């Protein structure tokens, strides 16, 4: 099934589940994920439906020179799991190239579980690939959105239950979820990762109601340096002021 057909399936899924009040029926994903936590919840629903023990959503880096997967969130949200950090490394480069030109799901079975290998290997519309993380079993769904954004939804676990009949629906739901996340943070992927730990600390303290002078005292900085960190984080988040930067950081799950 081609990219356009998957998008049609996603649209059909929306039309079937939308109720007269514009919302979706209980247990289904809403069309617009308002926050990252909401998107995480929707991804967890998909994981439950296929009996996956873990998941992650990644954006494909826009740089053609350095192909990599940029993690948006995973099943350890608001933290980031070790497997996700590994996938974001060099092991994801080949998958990035695949995601840019294809929507074919890719699976791997590296846990040594013969049953998992048999289940995933029996999927007709998919292909095997090298493990994104050693010692894991998983399946990766390439997804695309507006503005040329593309990414990957990864589900992990030795007991996943997928069939040819459900594969298309799951992929359509992944497309819909990715489109929602892409609207939440358009073109911000990669930029937010450039925010330093100190800049996030200053944003968090601002969110707690501290002034620049109080932040400087708490972090043992000069007031000028504290303001500089806040200015830099505001620019990186494409915000008009520090209050909007705090709001964006909270919405993206960068601070709590």
């Amino acid at each position: 099934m081609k990219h356009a057909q998957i998008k049609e399936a996603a649209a059909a899924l929306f039309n079937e589940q939308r109720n007269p009040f514009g919302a979706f029926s209980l247990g289904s994903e809403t069309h617009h994920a308002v926050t990252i936590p909401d998107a995480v919840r929707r991804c967890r629903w998909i994981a439950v439906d296929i009996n996956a023990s873990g998941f992650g959503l990644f954006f494909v880096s826009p740089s053609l020179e350095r192909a990599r997967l940029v993690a948006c969130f995973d099943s350890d949200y608001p933290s980031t799991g070790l497997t996700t950090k590994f996938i974001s490394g060099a092991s994801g480069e080949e998958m990035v190239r695949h995601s840019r030109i294809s929507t074919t799901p890719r699976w791997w079975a590296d846990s040594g579980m013969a049953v998992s290998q048999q289940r995933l290997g029996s999927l007709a519309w998919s292909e095997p690939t090298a493990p994104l993380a050693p010692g894991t079993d998983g399946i990766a769904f390439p997804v695309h959105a507006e503005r040329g954004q593309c990414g990957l939804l990864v589900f992990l676990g030795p007991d996943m239950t997928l069939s040819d009949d459900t594969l298309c629906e799951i992929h359509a739901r992944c497309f819909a979820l990715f489109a929602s996340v892409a609207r939440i943070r358009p073109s911000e992927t990669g930029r937010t990762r450039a925010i330093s730990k100190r800049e996030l600390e200053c944003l968090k303290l601002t969110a707690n109601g501290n002034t620049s002078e109080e932040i400087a005292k708490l972090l043992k900085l000069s007031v000028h340096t504290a303001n500089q960190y806040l200015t830099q984080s505001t620019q990186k988040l494409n915000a008009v002021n520090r209050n909007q930067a705090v709001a964006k950081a909270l919405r993206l799950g960068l601070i709590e």
Side-chain angles (χ1 to χ4, degrees), residues 112-217:
M113 300 285 289
V115 174
S116 183
Q117 168 98 27
Q118 184 177 7
R119 285 176 180 168
L120 294 172
S122 66
L123 297 173
W125 183 63
S126 65
E127 57 188 36
T129 188
L132 287 185
T136 66
D137 299 335
I139 186 165
F141 294 95
V143 284
H144 295 197
E146 296 177 353
R147 303 182 186 88
Q149 296 180 91
C150 60
L152 203 67
L153 266 89
V154 176
F155 296 92
L156 304 168
D159 300 311
M160 287 189 291
T161 54
L162 272 165
S163 67
D164 291 335
D165 292 335
T166 60
L167 192 66
C168 178
E169 179 193 349
I170 294 300
H171 204 168
R173 292 168 66 184
C174 289
F175 256 88
L177 175 59
F178 183 74
S180 296
V181 175
R183 284 191 294 269
I184 295 172
R185 41 188 297 176
S187 304
E188 290 179 359
T189 313
R191 286 208 297 264
T192 55
R193 291 175 60 83
I195 298 178
S196 70
K197 180 180 177 181
R198 187 64 88 184
E199 288 166 352
L200 288 176
E201 287 174 340
C202 290
L203 277 177
K204 187 171 183 178
L205 288 171
T206 300
N208 291 336
N210 292 286
T211 64
S212 296
E213 290 75 14
E214 291 168 335
I215 292 171
K217 185 176 181 180

Side-chain angles (χ1 to χ4, degrees), residues 10 15 25 44 66 77 101 111 113 164 177 182:
N15 293 333
S25 55
R44 186 165 284 115
R66 186 187 177 194
Y77 180 84
I101 62 174
S111 67
M113 300 285 289
D164 291 335
L177 175 59

Side-chain angles (χ1 to χ4, degrees), residues 14-249:
F14 288 148
N15 293 333
E16 288 174 4
Q17 294 180 326
R18 189 177 296 277
N19 69 28
F21 299 97
F24 274 58
S25 55
L26 185 63
S28 65
E29 296 90 338
T30 55
H31 187 68
H32 297 284
V34 178
T35 64
I36 290 294
D38 180 46
V40 173
R41 183 168 57 254
R42 289 173 58 183
C43 201
R44 186 165 284 115
W45 289 344
I46 298 175
V48 168
D49 286 346
I50 64 174
N51 201 34
S53 57
F55 59 82
L57 187 151
F58 302 82
F59 277 79
V60 169
S61 64
S63 172
L64 296 176
E65 297 179 357
R66 186 187 177 194
R68 67 189 182 100
L69 294 169
V70 179
C72 179
F73 61 76
D74 64 12
S75 43
D76 286 342
Y77 180 84
S79 301
T80 303
L82 291 176
T83 300
T84 297
K85 293 177 181 178
F86 188 92
I87 293 174
S88 296
S91 63
E93 290 184 4
E94 199 281 327
M95 187 64 79
V96 164
R97 289 189 286 270
H98 171 74
S99 299
R100 283 174 173 161
I101 62 174
S102 174
T103 58
T104 302
R106 284 189 161 186
W107 63 269
W108 65 94
D110 197 46
S111 67
M113 300 285 289
V115 174
S116 183
Q117 168 98 27
Q118 184 177 7
R119 285 176 180 168
L120 294 172
S122 66
L123 297 173
W125 183 63
S126 65
E127 57 188 36
T129 188
L132 287 185
T136 66
D137 299 335
I139 186 165
F141 294 95
V143 284
H144 295 197
E146 296 177 353
R147 303 182 186 88
Q149 296 180 91
C150 60
L152 203 67
L153 266 89
V154 176
F155 296 92
L156 304 168
D159 300 311
M160 287 189 291
T161 54
L162 272 165
S163 67
D164 291 335
D165 292 335
T166 60
L167 192 66
C168 178
E169 179 193 349
I170 294 300
H171 204 168
R173 292 168 66 184
C174 289
F175 256 88
L177 175 59
F178 183 74
S180 296
V181 175
R183 284 191 294 269
I184 295 172
R185 41 188 297 176
S187 304
E188 290 179 359
T189 313
R191 286 208 297 264
T192 55
R193 291 175 60 83
I195 298 178
S196 70
K197 180 180 177 181
R198 187 64 88 184
E199 288 166 352
L200 288 176
E201 287 174 340
C202 290
L203 277 177
K204 187 171 183 178
L205 288 171
T206 300
N208 291 336
N210 292 286
T211 64
S212 296
E213 290 75 14
E214 291 168 335
I215 292 171
K217 185 176 181 180
L218 288 168
L219 298 180
K220 295 181 171 56
L221 304 170
S222 68
V223 175
H224 172 75
T225 301
N227 282 328
Q228 191 173 35
Y229 281 133
L230 286 168
T231 298
Q232 290 169 348
S233 59
T234 298
Q235 292 172 344
K236 289 175 181 179
L237 285 167
N238 195 28
V240 297
N241 54 44
R242 65 177 63 180
N243 289 332
Q244 188 183 47
V246 166
K248 280 194 171 185

